[in-house]
Coordinates of all heavy atoms in Angstrom, one line a residue:
Chain A
H47 N 22.2 -28.4 -9.8 CA 23.5 -27.7 -9.9 C 23.4 -26.6 -11.0 O 24.0 -25.6 -10.8 CB 24.6 -28.7 -10.3 CG 25.0 -29.5 -9.2 ND1 25.0 -29.1 -7.9 CD2 25.5 -30.8 -9.1 CE1 25.5 -30.0 -7.1 NE2 25.7 -31.0 -7.8
Y63 N 35.9 -27.2 -5.5 CA 35.6 -27.8 -4.2 C 36.8 -27.6 -3.3 O 36.7 -27.3 -2.1 CB 35.1 -29.2 -4.3 CG 33.9 -29.5 -5.1 CD1 33.8 -30.5 -6.0 CD2 32.8 -28.6 -5.0 CE1 32.7 -30.7 -6.8 CE2 31.6 -28.9 -5.7 CZ 31.6 -29.9 -6.6 OH 30.5 -30.1 -7.4
T67 N 37.4 -25.6 0.5 CA 38.1 -26.1 1.7 C 39.3 -25.3 2.1 O 39.4 -24.9 3.3 CB 38.5 -27.6 1.4 OG1 37.5 -28.3 0.8 CG2 38.9 -28.3 2.7
S195 N 4.4 -28.5 48.3 CA 4.1 -28.7 46.8 C 3.8 -27.4 46.1 O 2.8 -27.2 45.5 CB 2.8 -29.5 46.8 OG 3.0 -30.8 47.5
W197 N 4.7 -25.1 43.1 CA 5.3 -25.2 41.8 C 5.3 -23.8 41.1 O 4.7 -22.9 41.6 CB 4.5 -26.2 40.9 CG 4.4 -27.5 41.4 CD1 3.5 -28.1 42.3 CD2 5.3 -28.6 41.2 NE1 3.7 -29.4 42.6 CE2 4.9 -29.7 41.9 CE3 6.5 -28.7 40.4 CZ2 5.6 -30.9 41.9 CZ3 7.2 -29.9 40.4 CH2 6.7 -31.0 41.1
V198 N 6.0 -23.8 40.0 CA 6.0 -22.5 39.2 C 4.6 -22.3 38.7 O 3.9 -23.3 38.5 CB 7.1 -22.6 38.1 CG1 8.5 -22.6 38.6 CG2 6.8 -23.8 37.2
F200 N 2.5 -22.0 35.8 CA 2.5 -22.2 34.4 C 1.6 -21.3 33.6 O 1.6 -21.3 32.4 CB 2.1 -23.6 34.1 CG 3.2 -24.6 34.3 CD1 3.2 -25.5 35.4 CD2 4.3 -24.7 33.5 CE1 4.2 -26.4 35.6 CE2 5.3 -25.6 33.7 CZ 5.3 -26.4 34.7
K201 N 0.8 -20.5 34.3 CA -0.1 -19.5 33.6 C 0.7 -18.2 33.3 O 0.1 -17.4 32.7 CB -1.3 -19.2 34.5 CG -2.2 -20.4 34.8 CD -3.4 -20.1 35.6 CE -4.3 -21.2 35.9 NZ -3.8 -22.1 37.0
W206 N 6.6 -19.3 30.7 CA 6.6 -19.7 29.3 C 8.0 -19.3 28.7 O 8.6 -20.0 27.9 CB 5.5 -19.0 28.5 CG 4.1 -19.2 29.0 CD1 3.7 -20.1 29.9 CD2 3.0 -18.5 28.5 NE1 2.4 -20.1 30.1 CE2 1.9 -19.1 29.2 CE3 2.7 -17.5 27.6 CZ2 0.6 -18.6 29.1 CZ3 1.4 -17.1 27.4 CH2 0.4 -17.6 28.1
M224 N 25.0 -29.8 14.5 CA 24.8 -30.8 13.4 C 25.3 -30.2 12.1 O 25.9 -31.0 11.3 CB 23.3 -31.1 13.3 CG 22.7 -31.9 14.4 SD 23.6 -33.3 14.9 CE 23.4 -34.3 13.5
T232 N 36.1 -32.4 8.0 CA 37.1 -31.9 7.0 C 38.3 -31.4 7.7 O 39.5 -31.7 7.3 CB 36.4 -30.8 6.2 OG1 35.2 -31.3 5.6 CG2 37.4 -30.3 5.1
D235 N 40.4 -34.3 9.0 CA 41.2 -35.0 8.0 C 42.3 -34.2 7.5 O 43.2 -34.8 6.8 CB 40.3 -35.5 6.9 CG 39.3 -36.6 7.5 OD1 39.6 -37.1 8.5 OD2 38.3 -36.8 6.8
L251 N 32.5 -36.5 15.8 CA 31.8 -37.7 16.2 C 32.0 -38.9 15.2 O 31.1 -39.7 15.0 CB 30.3 -37.4 16.3 CG 29.9 -36.2 17.2 CD1 28.3 -36.1 17.2 CD2 30.4 -36.4 18.6
N254 N 31.9 -39.7 8.5 CA 32.7 -40.1 7.3 C 32.1 -39.8 6.0 O 32.6 -40.1 4.9 CB 33.1 -41.6 7.4 CG 31.8 -42.5 7.3 OD1 30.7 -42.0 7.3 ND2 32.0 -43.8 7.4
G255 N 31.0 -39.1 6.0 CA 30.3 -38.6 4.8 C 29.8 -39.7 3.9 O 29.8 -39.6 2.6
A257 N 26.9 -42.0 2.0 CA 25.7 -41.6 1.3 C 24.5 -41.7 2.3 O 23.6 -40.9 2.3 CB 25.5 -42.4 0.1
W260 N 24.6 -38.9 4.8 CA 24.2 -37.7 4.2 C 22.7 -37.6 4.0 O 22.0 -36.6 4.2 CB 24.9 -37.5 2.9 CG 26.2 -36.8 3.0 CD1 27.4 -37.3 2.5 CD2 26.6 -35.5 3.5 NE1 28.4 -36.4 2.7 CE2 27.9 -35.3 3.3 CE3 25.8 -34.5 4.1 CZ2 28.6 -34.2 3.8 CZ3 26.5 -33.4 4.6 CH2 27.8 -33.2 4.4
R262 N 20.3 -39.2 5.7 CA 19.7 -39.0 7.0 C 19.9 -37.6 7.5 O 19.0 -37.0 8.1 CB 20.2 -40.0 8.0 CG 19.7 -41.4 7.7 CD 20.5 -42.4 8.5 NE 20.0 -43.8 8.4 CZ 20.6 -44.8 8.8 NH1 21.8 -44.7 9.5 NH2 20.2 -46.0 8.6
E264 N 20.4 -34.8 5.8 CA 19.6 -33.9 5.1 C 18.2 -33.9 5.5 O 17.5 -32.9 5.7 CB 19.7 -34.2 3.6 CG 20.9 -33.7 2.9 CD 20.7 -32.9 1.7 OE1 20.4 -33.6 0.7 OE2 20.8 -31.7 1.7
Y265 N 17.7 -35.1 5.8 CA 16.4 -35.3 6.3 C 16.2 -34.7 7.7 O 15.2 -33.9 7.8 CB 16.1 -36.8 6.4 CG 14.6 -37.2 6.5 CD1 13.8 -37.2 5.4 CD2 14.1 -37.5 7.8 CE1 12.4 -37.5 5.6 CE2 12.8 -37.8 7.9 CZ 12.0 -37.8 6.8 OH 10.6 -38.1 7.0
L277 N 9.4 -22.2 16.2 CA 10.1 -21.9 17.4 C 10.6 -20.5 17.5 O 10.4 -19.8 18.5 CB 11.3 -22.9 17.6 CG 11.9 -23.0 19.0 CD1 10.9 -23.5 20.0 CD2 13.0 -24.0 18.9
S280 N 7.6 -18.4 18.1 CA 7.1 -18.6 19.4 C 7.9 -17.9 20.5 O 7.3 -17.3 21.4 CB 7.0 -20.1 19.8 OG 8.2 -20.6 20.3
K487 N 29.7 -26.0 -1.1 CA 30.0 -26.9 -2.2 C 28.8 -27.4 -2.9 O 28.9 -27.7 -4.1 CB 30.8 -28.1 -1.6 CG 32.2 -27.7 -1.2 CD 32.9 -28.9 -0.5 CE 34.2 -28.4 0.1 NZ 34.8 -29.4 1.0
K491 N 28.4 -25.2 -8.2 CA 28.2 -25.3 -9.6 C 27.2 -24.4 -10.2 O 27.4 -23.7 -11.2 CB 27.8 -26.7 -10.0 CG 29.0 -27.7 -10.1 CD 28.5 -28.9 -10.7 CE 29.6 -30.0 -10.6 NZ 29.0 -31.3 -10.9
D520 N 16.1 -31.1 -7.4 CA 15.6 -31.5 -6.1 C 14.2 -30.9 -5.9 O 13.7 -30.9 -4.9 CB 16.5 -31.1 -5.0 CG 16.8 -29.7 -4.9 OD1 16.4 -28.9 -5.8 OD2 17.5 -29.2 -4.0
Chain B
D256 N 33.8 -35.6 -9.5 CA 32.6 -34.7 -9.7 C 31.4 -35.5 -9.2 O 31.3 -36.7 -9.4 CB 32.5 -34.4 -11.2 CG 31.4 -33.4 -11.4 OD1 31.6 -32.2 -11.1 OD2 30.2 -33.8 -11.7
D257 N 30.5 -34.7 -8.6 CA 29.3 -35.4 -8.0 C 28.3 -35.9 -9.1 O 27.7 -36.9 -8.9 CB 28.6 -34.4 -7.1 CG 28.4 -33.0 -7.7 OD1 29.3 -32.6 -8.4 OD2 27.4 -32.3 -7.3
D258 N 28.2 -35.1 -10.2 CA 27.3 -35.6 -11.2 C 27.8 -36.9 -11.8 O 27.1 -37.8 -12.2 CB 27.2 -34.5 -12.3 CG 26.4 -33.4 -11.9 OD1 25.4 -33.6 -11.2 OD2 26.7 -32.2 -12.2
V277 N 29.0 -45.0 -0.9 CA 29.6 -43.9 -1.6 C 29.9 -42.8 -0.6 O 29.0 -42.5 0.3 CB 28.7 -43.4 -2.7 CG1 29.3 -42.1 -3.4 CG2 28.5 -44.4 -3.8
Y278 N 31.0 -42.2 -0.6 CA 31.4 -41.1 0.3 C 31.6 -39.8 -0.4 O 32.3 -39.8 -1.5 CB 32.7 -41.6 1.1 CG 32.5 -42.8 1.9 CD1 32.7 -44.1 1.3 CD2 32.1 -42.8 3.2 CE1 32.5 -45.2 2.0 CE2 31.9 -43.9 3.9 CZ 32.1 -45.2 3.3 OH 31.8 -46.3 4.0
S279 N 31.1 -38.8 0.2 CA 31.2 -37.5 -0.5 C 31.4 -36.3 0.5 O 31.0 -36.5 1.6 CB 30.0 -37.2 -1.4 OG 28.8 -37.2 -0.5
H284 N 22.0 -35.0 -4.0 CA 20.6 -35.4 -4.0 C 20.3 -36.5 -5.0 O 20.8 -36.5 -6.1 CB 19.8 -34.2 -4.4 CG 19.8 -33.1 -3.3 ND1 19.2 -31.9 -3.5 CD2 20.4 -33.1 -2.1 CE1 19.4 -31.2 -2.4 NE2 20.1 -31.9 -1.6
G298 N 11.8 -39.5 10.5 CA 10.6 -38.6 10.6 C 9.6 -39.2 11.6 O 9.0 -38.5 12.4
T319 N 1.0 -30.6 38.4 CA 1.4 -29.5 39.3 C 0.3 -28.6 39.6 O 0.0 -28.2 40.7 CB 2.6 -28.7 38.6 OG1 2.2 -28.3 37.3 CG2 3.8 -29.5 38.6
E320 N -0.4 -28.1 38.5 CA -1.4 -27.1 38.7 C -2.9 -27.6 38.8 O -3.7 -26.9 39.3 CB -1.3 -26.0 37.6 CG 0.0 -25.4 37.6 CD 0.0 -23.9 37.3 OE1 -0.9 -23.5 36.5 OE2 0.8 -23.2 37.8
D323 N -1.7 -31.2 42.2 CA -0.9 -31.1 43.4 C -1.0 -29.8 44.1 O -1.0 -29.7 45.3 CB 0.6 -31.4 43.0 CG 1.4 -31.7 44.2 OD1 0.9 -32.4 45.1 OD2 2.6 -31.2 44.3
W324 N -1.1 -28.7 43.3 CA -1.2 -27.3 43.9 C -2.1 -26.5 43.0 O -1.6 -25.6 42.3 CB 0.2 -26.8 44.0 CG 0.3 -25.5 44.8 CD1 0.3 -24.2 44.4 CD2 0.4 -25.4 46.3 NE1 0.4 -23.4 45.4 CE2 0.5 -24.1 46.6 CE3 0.5 -26.4 47.3 CZ2 0.6 -23.6 47.9 CZ3 0.6 -26.0 48.6 CH2 0.7 -24.6 48.9
M326 N -4.2 -23.6 41.6 CA -4.2 -22.2 41.9 C -5.2 -21.5 40.9 O -5.1 -21.9 39.7 CB -2.8 -21.6 41.7 CG -1.9 -21.6 42.9 SD -0.5 -20.6 42.6 CE 0.3 -21.5 41.2
D332 N -9.4 -21.1 35.4 CA -9.5 -22.4 36.1 C -8.1 -22.8 36.5 O -7.1 -22.5 35.9 CB -10.1 -23.5 35.2 CG -11.5 -23.3 34.9 OD1 -12.1 -22.4 35.6 OD2 -12.1 -23.9 33.9
S333 N -8.1 -23.7 37.6 CA -6.8 -24.1 38.0 C -6.1 -25.0 37.0 O -4.9 -24.9 36.8 CB -6.9 -24.9 39.3 OG -7.8 -26.0 39.2
I338 N -4.2 -22.3 28.2 CA -3.1 -21.4 28.7 C -1.8 -22.1 28.8 O -0.7 -21.5 28.8 CB -3.5 -20.8 30.1 CG1 -2.8 -19.4 30.2 CG2 -3.2 -21.7 31.2 CD1 -3.5 -18.5 31.1
E345 N 6.5 -25.9 23.4 CA 8.0 -25.9 23.6 C 8.5 -27.3 23.9 O 9.6 -27.7 23.4 CB 8.4 -25.0 24.7 CG 8.0 -23.5 24.5 CD 8.6 -22.9 23.3 OE1 9.7 -23.3 22.8 OE2 8.0 -21.9 22.8
F359 N 19.4 -40.2 15.2 CA 20.3 -40.0 14.0 C 21.7 -40.4 14.4 O 22.4 -41.2 13.7 CB 20.3 -38.6 13.6 CG 21.4 -38.2 12.6 CD1 21.3 -38.5 11.3 CD2 22.5 -37.5 13.0 CE1 22.3 -38.2 10.4 CE2 23.5 -37.2 12.2 CZ 23.4 -37.5 10.8
S362 N 21.8 -44.3 15.0 CA 21.6 -45.1 13.8 C 22.8 -45.0 12.9 O 23.1 -45.9 12.1 CB 20.3 -44.7 13.1 OG 20.4 -43.4 12.7
N363 N 23.6 -43.9 13.0 CA 24.8 -43.8 12.1 C 26.0 -44.2 12.8 O 27.1 -44.0 12.3 CB 24.9 -42.4 11.6 CG 23.9 -42.1 10.5 OD1 23.9 -42.7 9.4 ND2 23.0 -41.2 10.8
L365 N 27.5 -42.6 15.3 CA 28.3 -41.5 15.5 C 28.4 -41.1 17.0 O 27.4 -41.3 17.8 CB 27.7 -40.2 14.8 CG 27.6 -40.3 13.3 CD1 26.9 -39.1 12.7 CD2 29.0 -40.4 12.7
G366 N 29.6 -40.8 17.4 CA 29.8 -40.5 18.9 C 31.3 -40.0 19.0 O 32.1 -40.2 18.2
M373 N 37.8 -44.4 7.2 CA 38.0 -43.5 6.0 C 38.6 -44.3 4.9 O 39.8 -44.7 5.0 CB 38.8 -42.3 6.4 CG 38.2 -41.4 7.5 SD 36.6 -40.7 7.0 CE 37.0 -39.6 5.7
T379 N 36.4 -35.9 2.4 CA 35.8 -34.8 3.2 C 36.3 -33.5 2.6 O 36.0 -32.4 3.2 CB 36.2 -34.9 4.7 OG1 37.6 -35.0 4.8 CG2 35.5 -36.1 5.4
D380 N 37.0 -33.5 1.5 CA 37.5 -32.3 0.9 C 36.9 -32.1 -0.5 O 35.9 -31.4 -0.6 CB 39.0 -32.4 0.8 CG 39.7 -31.2 0.2 OD1 38.9 -30.2 -0.1 OD2 40.9 -31.2 0.0

Side-chain angles (χ1 to χ4, degrees):
Chain A
H47 285 328
Y63 299 136
T67 312
S195 304
W197 297 92
V198 291
F200 282 108
K201 296 183 181 80
W206 303 349
M224 292 309 294
T232 305
D235 292 341
L251 307 182
N254 65 358
W260 273 123
R262 289 170 176 167
E264 285 229 282
Y265 194 79
L277 196 57
S280 83
K487 285 172 191 170
K491 275 190 192 168
D520 58 351
Chain B
D256 188 81
D257 49 327
D258 286 323
V277 173
Y278 298 87
S279 61
H284 293 175
T319 55
E320 298 217 329
D323 198 37
W324 192 263
M326 272 192 296
D332 290 346
S333 58
I338 206 154
E345 300 299 337
F359 166 79
S362 61
N363 286 297
L365 297 174
M373 297 300 291
T379 52
D380 179 5

